[in-house]
């Protein structure tokens, strides 16, 4: 999935857990842990979304990845981070692999222990032990299909609707 999808998932988890009475550290660990795990589940769903493994040299890829996603990512951060920064960070954390590996590739210096995407692979290995989640591996492969944008957009719309519903409910309870 794309970064804004992970960020929205983190905010949604944080907002949903705001209704659960947990002591301080338990809330932090639960929110962070669930947000981190959500990344792996969403990445399994990404197989059915427009997510080519390498950049493409076509107008659609460039428009989507170089124009639409950066704007939507910043809008998501500006709108949700003040209230949900920790959960959003935890939900995006496994993508640190790609940042570290990109820096390593550009500088020509290997970073010990990061020869492969350790955060992503560890998370996927863990989630592949959960039968229901493992079934997501059977989704159709639409990573190179433009129609996959609609799958992710639909998921984002549902998550945003749930997030705003939770936020409205919480505000009306006060």
């Amino acid at each position: 999935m794309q970064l804004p999808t992970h960020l929205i998932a983190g905010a949604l988890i944080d907002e949903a857990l705001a209704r659960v009475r947990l002591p301080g550290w338990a809330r932090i660990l639960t929110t962070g842990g669930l947000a981190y795990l959500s990344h792996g589940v969403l990445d399994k769903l990404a197989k059915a979304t427009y997510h080519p493994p390498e950049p493409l040299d076509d107008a659609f890829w460039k428009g989507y990845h170089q124009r639409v996603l950066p704007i939507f990512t910043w809008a998501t951060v500006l709108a949700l981070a003040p209230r949900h920064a920790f959960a959003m960070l935890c939900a995006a954390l496994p993508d640190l692999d790609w940042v570290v590996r990109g820096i390593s590739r550009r500088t020509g210096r290997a970073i010990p222990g990061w020869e492969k995407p350790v955060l992503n692979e560890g998370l996927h290995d863990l989630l592949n032990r959960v039968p229901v989640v493992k079934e997501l591996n059977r989704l159709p492969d639409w990573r190179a299909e433009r129609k996959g944008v609609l799958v992710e957009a639909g998921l984002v719309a549902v998550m945003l609707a749930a997030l705003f519903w939770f936020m409205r409910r919480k505000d009306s309870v006060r």
Side-chain angles (χ1 to χ4, degrees):
M1 289 289 170
Q2 306 297 338
L3 181 59
T5 307
H6 291 298
L7 298 175
I8 292 166
L12 176 58
I13 289 165
D14 191 35
E15 194 65 40
L17 286 175
R19 284 144 188 71
V20 178
R21 279 220 144 103
L22 293 169
W25 282 105
R27 175 158 166 61
I28 290 168
L29 292 173
T30 303
T31 300
L34 289 175
Y36 187 82
L37 290 172
S38 77
H39 188 105
V41 173
L42 288 174
D43 275 1
K44 290 196 173 295
L45 292 171
K47 183 178 177 188
T49 68
Y50 184 67
H51 206 84
E54 298 296 326
L56 302 178
D57 189 25
D58 71 34
F60 185 82
W61 188 93
K62 288 177 181 176
Y64 183 60
H65 286 89
Q66 295 175 348
R67 289 184 184 86
V68 174
L69 284 176
I71 291 168
F72 189 53
T73 300
W74 281 110
T76 301
V77 168
L78 293 173
L80 301 176
R83 194 165 174 170
H84 305 289
F86 174 72
M88 292 168 67
L89 178 66
C90 291
L93 191 59
D95 281 345
L96 182 61
D97 280 337
W98 313 123
V99 174
V100 170
R101 295 182 78 219
I103 291 169
S104 180
R105 207 172 23 257
R106 281 190 292 284
T107 62
R109 303 176 113 183
I111 297 172
W114 238 303
E115 294 79 22
K116 57 184 182 174
V118 293
L119 297 174
N120 270 278
E121 286 183 6
L123 182 55
H124 288 286
D125 288 346
L126 172 71
L127 290 174
N128 277 332
R129 296 170 193 221
V130 180
V132 173
V133 177
K134 187 176 180 179
E135 285 299 309
L136 295 175
N137 293 333
R138 299 172 59 158
L139 288 170
D141 188 349
W142 288 353
R143 290 175 292 186
E145 302 286 332
R146 293 176 180 176
K147 65 184 174 185
V149 168
L150 298 175
V151 175
E152 189 159 1
L155 178 62
V156 165
V158 168
M159 288 194 308
L160 282 172
L163 174 63
F164 294 138
W165 181 79
F166 275 127
M167 291 169 88
R168 252 192 329 266
R169 256 187 101 201
K170 182 177 177 183
D171 291 340
S172 67
V173 172
R174 291 182 184 170

